[in-house]
C-alpha cells in the first residue's frame, strides 16, 4: 500500500512539473522573458511599435524607431521588440510577453547571440532540452509551447497563445 501511495504521489509531482507553463529564464540581458506576466508593469517609458491589433508591441529601452517620409515607423538596425498579449488564451485577462524579436547582436540568452554559429546554437539548445531542427540558414528549437527561431539576422522567441473563443483581430 505504501508503494502505491508513493507511486501516486510521484506521478502527481511529475504531472505538476510537466504541466508547468513557465520556461525558466536563462542568464540574459533581455528586459523581459518569454511568458513573463506584465500585468503590473508600466510601459509608459517604452516606445510603442504601432500597427498591432489584439496586443501591444514595445521597443526595448534605448531602441527608438525613425520615421519614413510617410510617417511610418522604421525599426533601428539593431533592436529588441516585445509583444504583449493576453495569455494563455487571447480571451484571458492577464498580459504576458508572448513574443520577443531580437536583431541586436549584443543580446545574449543561453550564452548565445546573433554572432553564434548555427552549429553552436543547435548544440546548446539540444543541451537545454529543446527539440531542434537545424538547417544551413537557421535553427528552430521547440520545448512545449515555446519556440525559438535563430537566423543570421534575428532571433524570434514565442509562446503559443490559444484562441478558444475564436476572437478575430
Amino acid at each position: 500500500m505504501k508503494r502505491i501511495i508513493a507511486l501516486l504521489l510521484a506521478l502527481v509531482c511529475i504531472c505538476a512539473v510537466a504541466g508547468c507553463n513557465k520556461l525558466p529564464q536563462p542568464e540574459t540581458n533581455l528586459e523581459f522573458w518569454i511568458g513573463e506576466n506584465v500585468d503590473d508593469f508600466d510601459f509608459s517609458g517604452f516606445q510603442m511599435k504601432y500597427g498591432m491589433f489584439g496586443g501591444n508591441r514595445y521597443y526595448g529601452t534605448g531602441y527608438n524607431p525613425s520615421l519614413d517620409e510617410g510617417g511610418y515607423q522604421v525599426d533601428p538596425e539593431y533592436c529588441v521588440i516585445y509583444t504583449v498579449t493576453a495569455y494563455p488564451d487571447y480571451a484571458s485577462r492577464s498580459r504576458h510577453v508572448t513574443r520577443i524579436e531580437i536583431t541586436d547582436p549584443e543580446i545574449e540568452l543561453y550564452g548565445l547571440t546573433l554572432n553564434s554559429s548555427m552549429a553552436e546554437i543547435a548544440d546548446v539548445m539540444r543541451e537545454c532540452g529543446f527539440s531542434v531542427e537545424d538547417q544551413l540558414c537557421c535553427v528552430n528549437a521547440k520545448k512545449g509551447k515555446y519556440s525559438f527561431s535563430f537566423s543570421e539576422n534575428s532571433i524570434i522567441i514565442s509562446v503559443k497563445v490559444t484562441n478558444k473563443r475564436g476572437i478575430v483581430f
Side-chain angles (χ1 to χ4, degrees):
M1 184 63 156
K2 286 183 182 180
R3 287 184 187 181
I4 292 173
I5 291 172
L7 180 61
L8 288 173
L9 185 58
L11 285 172
V12 167
C13 289
I14 289 170
C15 290
V17 170
C20 180
N21 288 332
K22 191 168 182 187
L23 185 66
Q25 181 173 340
E27 189 169 317
T28 181
N29 53 348
L30 288 167
E31 294 170 272
F32 303 99
W33 186 236
I34 194 70
E36 183 174 338
N37 182 299
V38 291
D39 281 339
D40 297 325
F41 189 82
D42 178 10
F43 281 94
S44 63
F46 285 72
Q47 170 67 50
M48 184 181 283
K49 180 172 173 74
Y50 304 118
M52 180 172 182
F53 295 101
N56 293 309
R57 299 174 79 199
Y58 301 96
Y59 290 95
T61 302
Y63 304 109
N64 295 305
S66 58
L67 297 177
D68 67 12
E69 56 279 347
Y72 295 100
Q73 290 176 322
V74 177
D75 295 343
E77 180 180 10
Y78 300 131
C79 67
V80 176
I81 300 171
Y82 299 97
T83 301
V84 175
T85 67
Y87 178 81
D89 188 85
Y90 286 121
S92 300
R93 292 190 177 167
S94 62
R95 297 174 346 133
H96 292 252
V97 175
T98 56
R99 182 178 169 101
I100 304 171
E101 300 167 51
I102 304 164
T103 59
D104 185 343
E106 297 297 317
I107 298 298
E108 185 175 324
L109 57 135
Y110 298 108
L112 302 168
T113 70
L114 281 169
N115 295 323
S116 300
S117 72
M118 291 300 150
E120 180 184 6
I121 292 167
D123 290 344
V124 168
M125 296 308 283
R126 280 189 188 98
E127 287 172 16
C128 291
F130 288 79
S131 62
V132 175
E133 204 179 282
D134 54 332
Q135 302 161 354
L136 287 175
C137 64
C138 60
V139 172
N140 295 311
K142 291 188 177 192
K143 185 186 244 185
K145 59 178 132 183
Y146 297 92
S147 298
F148 289 69
S149 179
F150 295 83
S151 71
E152 103 180 13
N153 300 321
S154 69
I155 302 169
I156 298 175
I157 308 166
S158 62
V159 61
K160 184 172 177 48
V161 182
T162 58
N163 190 3
K164 294 178 181 174
R165 294 189 182 169
I167 297 170
V168 178
F169 298 104

